[in-house]
Structure formats: C-alpha cells, structure tokens
C-alpha cells in the first residue's frame, strides 16, 4: 500500500502549521569577557528592531564609542543607542533599579535621548536589592578570611540575587508591581534571612521600601509579560532581533572556570532561558574574541604573560575594567579556549577584535594546545588545579609591525596580519566575519 492510499486517522483535519517565525541573532563573548562585544553589538544594532539582554546584571560593562562620545552600558542593552530600536531586558537578567536609572541618566547627559520610552522590561526578571550588594561584599570578605582568596566579584549583588532566585526566595519585577503589601512582607523576610546569616548587615527596611515604591512607578510603563513580548516579536512581521550576551563563555556558571565565574549562563543556552524563546528561533550566533587574551580577577590563565609582553598588551590595549577599574591580566591568544567556546555555542562566525593592539610586536605567539604530562589533551579541563598545571603549546607567527588602525578592508591589511587572521580561523574552524582595528565604530573590517 502506498502512502497515498493510507487512510488519514483523522479525515478532514488540517494539521496546524508550525510557523517558526523570526530568528534572533546572538552575540556572545568567547573568552573571559571584555572582548569588545559592545562594539559588535552596536554595529549590528544599527539595523535591528529589537535588542535584548538575556542574562547577567550591571556587573557587565560595554563601551560604545559613537561620534567621539564614549557611552558605558552595564544593564541597558548597548543597542539602546539606536533610537529606532526597542531594547528588551529579559527574565534571565537581574535588575538593580537604582543602578538602571543611574546608568540611563548618566548616558542621557552624554546625549542618549528618550531611553525610557524605548525600553521594555520582563516582569519575570529578578530584582537586585541594595542588601544583595552589601552581602556580595561581605561574602568576598568572608571568602578571603576563610580560604585566603576571593572570587573577585564586582560586588554588584549579582551572585546573591541569583542565589535568592535559585533558593526561591527572590522577588521579581512582577511582584513589585502587583500587591505592594505582599511584596513588602516578602522583602522583609528576605532581608531578615540575610541578616541572620550576616549579623553585621544593616538594612533600612522602611527606607528601602519607600524607594522601591518610587522605582515601581517609574518602571511600570516599561514592564511587559516578557514571554509574550518575545512571542509577538518572533511571530509578527519580519523583524531583526539581536541578543547581546553579557560576560562570556569562560565566565559561564556551568562551563566557565568555576568557581571564578559569574552566576548566569552566558553561553547560548542562556538566550533561550533568559528570554523565554525556543531553540528553533536562535539563528546566527556570533562569537566575539580579542586577538589576545585577558582576564579580570583571579583563577587559572594558561597563556598569561607575567612579563613585559603582558604589560605591553595591558597598556596598549587599555585593559582596565569598565565596571571595577581593575587592571586586566593579559596573555597570548588561546585557541583551546576558543575551540571550547565553539563546542558549546556553535558559532556561525567570529569577530576578532583589537588586532591593532598587536601592531608593534615582532613576533606573536598563539596557544594552540594544552599538554598534561607531555601529552596533548583534546578538551578544556574542568578542574582549576589541573588547568593551572597545563603546559601550553605555542605557535609563533611573524608580527606585521605596522599600523592597522586606518585599514578598512581586507586588502588594506598587511599580509602578515592577514596570515594571523587566517591562522586563527583555520585553527578554530569558524570563519572570521569582522576584524577590529580600533575603538570606534568605523574601525571594523567586514570580511564577508
Ligand atoms: P565588552 O564588555 O566585551 O563590550 O568589552 P569592553 O567594552 O569592556 O572592552 C572593549 C574595549 O576595547 C572598549 O574600550 C572598546 O572601545 C575597545 N575596543 C573594542 N574593539 C576594539 C578594537 O578593535 N581595537 C581597539 N583598540 N579597541 C577596541
């Protein structure tokens, strides 16, 4: 019997059409953060209708330079610069309300207009309270006293807020905007729980609640059901939707260099859980990687250069944290890390930023493999002590010793710089779509 002759079990029934809808474009950090995601996002955001944040809080920091003005974004999607786009803060993000408005107001003074009108906030996002920030600081002090080392958090309360979320005592934007009496009761309970854990923690409950009530009114017009907002965005008229990852693969709570990580998923899975969208709506995933490696705070860093070369990268690259002002540790590009990030994220293409920082080097080294007891390992070790001990195998490439910052297309680049780019591309197995040669918007070479 042919398939055609088979009787339908349900004659006359029309199957619903599974309309996948629009796909989101994702930008993720491929190393330990500060790769220059802000600039890549800004580039893509100029033609986006919606720009989303799906995880993290105001612990991240993006710098975007437009017309010589430098904007700093921590919680706001950096696509907020695009006056034609809507910015969306998804449920996976944790929001410190005073921080949000401070950031908006600060950027407003630099020329950012009407940002409140272009911002949509998911009602399922968790709230970072001032006491979460205080606890973050106290926990760091405790860790330092007990183990002699801290995680190096930004003390923005991100970790404690995700802890409250996981222990189901957290409070969300929807709670703040619903019954304030109920919200106040739960707020008190949560504050008291923290006070019993940290006896020195002082919380001015009434003062805090008063301020929160004011913030509630200020954000009310921006708050929407986040899942439905994204559903409509994906299934309405064709739209360009961009998701801006904060932090980076090696800071991911599951896949990063635990415990020196952030408290959210900054790899591709966080896009679905942090926005409430199906995996089938995830389209291109772009990884942003710096032409060398940096890391903030402590933890294993196999290609770190604790020498003049590391200092040169630090000073030439202005490697200082946007949020913390801390000097970043610097080292050569580590391809093991990039391959690992690609295993998790499945990058469509990469943006290689800050190539210009390497302009003065005679010779450039690239970490191509890790060895344990003289044997190459094909994976990235989970355990920190093992990662501390790996031996890095390097390849040496010739430096180009010329200024790449005026280059605007592939052919303008010196052949040795082209060689460096091709080498990275082939080793990671992902095409490089953009190359960054300077801070500003124009300093980005698009390769295809
Ligand atoms: P993000 O958190 O990944 O967005 O990274 P940051 O914004 O913290 O750090 C990137 C820094 O490098 C910013 O100051 C950028 O302006 C700058 N930057 C980005 N791309 C390039 C580049 O290609 N060359 C140079 N020289 N600076 C760049």
């Amino acid at each position: 019997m042919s398939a055609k002759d088979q009787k339908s079990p349900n004659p006359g029934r029309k199957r619903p059409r599974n309309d996948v809808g629009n796909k989101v474009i994702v930008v993720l950090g491929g190393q330990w953060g500060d790769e220059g995601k802000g600039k890549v996002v800004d580039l893509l955001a100029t033609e986006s209708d919606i720009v989303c944040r799906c995880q993290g809080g105001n612990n991240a920091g993006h710098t975007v330079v437009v017309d010589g003005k430098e904007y700093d974004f921590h919680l706001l999607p950096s696509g907020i610069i695009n006056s034609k786009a809507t910015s969306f803060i998804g449920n996976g993000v944790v929001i410190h309300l005073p921080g949000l408005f401070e950031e908006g107001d600060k950027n407003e003074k630099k020329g950012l207009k009407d940002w409140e009108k272009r911002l949509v906030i998911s009602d399922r996002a968790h709230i970072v309270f001032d006491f979460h920030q205080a606890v973050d600081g106290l926990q760091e002090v405790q860790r330092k006293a007990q183990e002699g080392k801290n995680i190096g958090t930004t003390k923005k309360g991100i970790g404690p807020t995700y802890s409250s979320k996981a222990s189901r005592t957290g409070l969300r934007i929807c709670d703040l905007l619903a019954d304030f009496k109920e919200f106040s009761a739960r707020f008190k309970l949560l504050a008291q729980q923290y006070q019993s854990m940290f006896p020195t923690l002082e919380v001015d409950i009434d003062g805090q609640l008063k301020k929160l009530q004011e913030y509630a009114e200020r954000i009310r017009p921006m708050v929407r059901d986040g899942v439905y907002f994204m559903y409509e965005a994906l299934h309405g008229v064709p739209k360009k939707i961009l998701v801006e990852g904060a932090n980076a693969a090696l800071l991911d709570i599951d896949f990063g260099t635990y415990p020196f990580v952030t408290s959210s998923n900054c790899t591709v899975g966080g896009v679905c859980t942090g926005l409430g969208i199906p995996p089938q709506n995830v389209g291109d995933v772009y990884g942003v990687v710096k032409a060398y490696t940096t890391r903030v705070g402590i933890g294993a860093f196999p290609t770190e250069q604790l020498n003049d070369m590391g200092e040169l990268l630090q000073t030439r690259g202005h490697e200082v944290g946007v949020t913390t002002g801390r000097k970043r540790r610097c080292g050569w590009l580590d391809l093991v890390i990039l391959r690992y990030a690609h295993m998790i994220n499945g990058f469509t293409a990469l943006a290689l930023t800050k190539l210009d920082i390497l302009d003065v080097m005679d010779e450039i080294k690239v970490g191509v493999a890790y060895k344990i007891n003289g044997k190459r390992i094909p994976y990235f070790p989970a355990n920190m002590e093992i990662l501390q001990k790996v031996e890095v195998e390097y390849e040496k490439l010739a430096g180009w010793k010329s200024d790449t910052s005026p280059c605007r297309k592939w052919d303008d680049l010196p052949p040795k710089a082209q060689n460096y780019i091709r080498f990275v591309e082939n080793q990671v197995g992902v095409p490089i779509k953009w190359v960054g040669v300077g801070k500003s918007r124009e300093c980005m070479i698009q390769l295809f």
Side-chain angles (χ1 to χ4, degrees):
M1 193 166 71
S2 75
K4 215 174 155 192
D5 299 330
Q6 275 180 347
K7 283 232 171 78
S8 157
N10 194 356
R13 173 182 173 268
K14 262 200 194 148
R15 279 199 202 93
R17 203 165 53 91
N18 190 355
D19 172 21
V20 173
N22 297 319
K23 295 206 180 210
V24 300
I25 295 173
V26 182
V27 175
L28 299 173
Q31 294 156 317
W32 272 294
D34 313 308
E35 297 93 348
K37 293 180 289 295
K39 204 171 80 170
V40 179
V41 166
D42 174 55
L43 188 98
L44 294 169
T46 49
E47 39 185 82
S48 294
D49 301 299
I50 303 177
V51 185
C52 315
R53 276 280 307 268
C54 62
Q55 45 73 227
N58 60 349
N59 56 339
H62 293 308
T63 315
V64 182
V65 183
V66 184
D67 299 331
K69 271 189 230 158
E70 198 164 307
Y71 297 89
D72 279 353
F73 296 106
H74 300 281
L75 190 60
L76 289 170
S78 43
I80 195 111
I81 286 194
N82 175 359
S83 61
K84 291 191 205 83
T86 302
S87 283
F88 176 59
I89 297 182
N91 60 278
V93 177
V94 292
I95 305 176
H96 182 244
L97 292 166
L100 172 73
F101 288 110
E102 205 177 292
E103 180 180 326
D105 294 343
K106 215 169 123 190
N107 283 304
E108 202 168 277
K109 286 200 184 98
K110 293 183 188 168
L112 181 72
K113 287 198 183 83
D114 294 332
W115 63 275
E116 291 189 44
K117 291 199 184 105
R118 296 198 301 279
L119 184 64
V120 174
I121 299 174
S122 166
D123 57 351
R124 288 181 176 81
H126 277 252
I127 307 173
V128 181
F129 296 117
D130 287 355
F131 61 75
H132 280 125
Q133 298 197 331
V135 164
D136 207 348
L138 292 171
Q139 280 178 335
E140 283 285 83
V141 173
Q142 230 174 37
R143 275 188 285 257
K144 185 109 190 154
Q146 286 167 357
E147 302 167 47
K149 52 186 173 189
N150 50 1
I151 290 183
T153 84
T154 53
K155 303 193 182 77
K156 299 283 181 187
I158 310 302
T161 307
Y162 280 112
S163 296
S164 295
K165 174 177 175 175
S167 48
R168 289 150 293 170
T169 48
L171 281 155
R172 300 182 293 172
I173 297 288
C174 56
D175 305 317
L176 175 66
L177 298 191
D179 179 350
F180 197 72
K181 233 170 107 187
E182 172 66 24
F183 175 86
S184 304
R186 286 176 57 192
F187 176 87
K188 267 184 210 157
L189 212 63
L190 183 61
Q192 281 159 2
Q193 272 173 8
Y194 274 112
Q195 283 177 311
S196 63
M197 283 191 279
F198 300 93
T200 56
L201 177 69
E202 284 175 25
V203 185
D204 169 13
I205 293 196
D206 293 333
Q208 288 281 305
L209 283 170
K210 192 169 167 272
K211 276 195 207 149
L212 282 161
Q213 205 164 14
E214 287 164 19
Y215 284 123
E217 292 323 307
R218 203 166 164 197
I219 59 159
R220 196 180 290 280
M222 306 173 208
V223 178
R224 299 270 296 275
D225 183 290
V227 173
Y228 192 64
F229 171 79
M230 282 309 298
Y231 179 81
E232 279 198 310
L234 294 171
H235 295 279
V237 290
K239 279 199 181 76
K240 286 210 167 137
I241 307 170
L242 183 68
V243 184
E244 167 180 342
N247 317 113
L250 291 194
L251 297 174
D252 183 284
I253 182 91
D254 283 280
F255 303 111
T257 42
Y258 195 89
F260 307 109
V261 293
T262 191
S263 313
S264 60
N265 283 115
C266 8
T267 46
V268 72
V271 172
C272 292
T273 56
L275 296 174
I277 65 166
Q280 64 192 7
N281 290 95
V282 176
D284 289 333
V285 179
Y286 297 125
V288 185
V289 299
K290 223 179 264 193
Y292 49 99
T293 312
T294 61
R295 167 159 207 185
V296 172
I298 52 174
F301 180 175
T303 61
E304 182 170 22
Q305 297 298 301
L306 294 166
N307 49 31
D308 291 350
M309 192 49 77
E311 295 235 329
L312 184 64
L313 289 169
Q314 199 275 324
T315 45
R316 272 188 65 77
H318 302 288
E319 295 297 349
V320 181
V322 177
T323 312
T324 57
R326 286 183 290 193
K327 262 192 188 179
R328 296 175 185 143
R329 296 157 64 192
C330 298
W332 295 119
L333 185 66
D334 185 336
L335 296 173
V336 181
I337 285 176
L338 302 195
R339 285 187 213 112
Y340 175 64
H342 179 48
M343 286 178 206
I344 301 163
N345 291 321
F347 295 129
T348 312
L350 298 177
L352 186 72
T353 62
K354 300 188 104 166
L355 187 79
D356 53 305
I357 305 307
L358 305 181
D359 284 352
V360 296
M361 319 273 172
D362 293 316
E363 181 183 78
I364 300 163
K365 282 169 107 185
V366 181
V368 292
Y370 290 169
K371 283 186 191 163
I372 297 177
N373 300 326
K375 271 201 192 129
R376 272 191 179 204
I377 52 165
Y379 55 87
F380 181 77
N383 178 272
M384 267 321 87
E385 284 71 42
I386 294 178
L387 188 63
Q388 292 278 13
K389 285 191 211 126
V390 296
E391 188 198 330
V392 182
E393 194 179 306
Y394 288 99
E395 287 234 5
K396 290 179 189 157
L397 281 85
W400 44 93
K401 304 273 283 175
S402 61
D403 182 10
T404 55
S405 64
C407 300
R408 292 293 172 268
K409 49 185 198 301
W410 174 255
D411 292 337
D412 298 341
L413 286 166
K416 283 175 181 153
Q418 293 178 344
N419 184 45
Y420 186 78
I421 296 163
R422 291 292 177 237
F423 180 78
V424 176
E425 214 171 38
N426 291 332
Q427 287 275 330
V428 186
V430 182
I432 292 177
K433 191 173 166 82
W434 298 279
V435 177
V437 291
K439 264 188 166 230
S440 66
R441 228 181 211 184
E442 313 75 63
C443 296
M444 202 67 156
I445 302 173
Q446 184 156 351
L447 303 191
F448 62 91

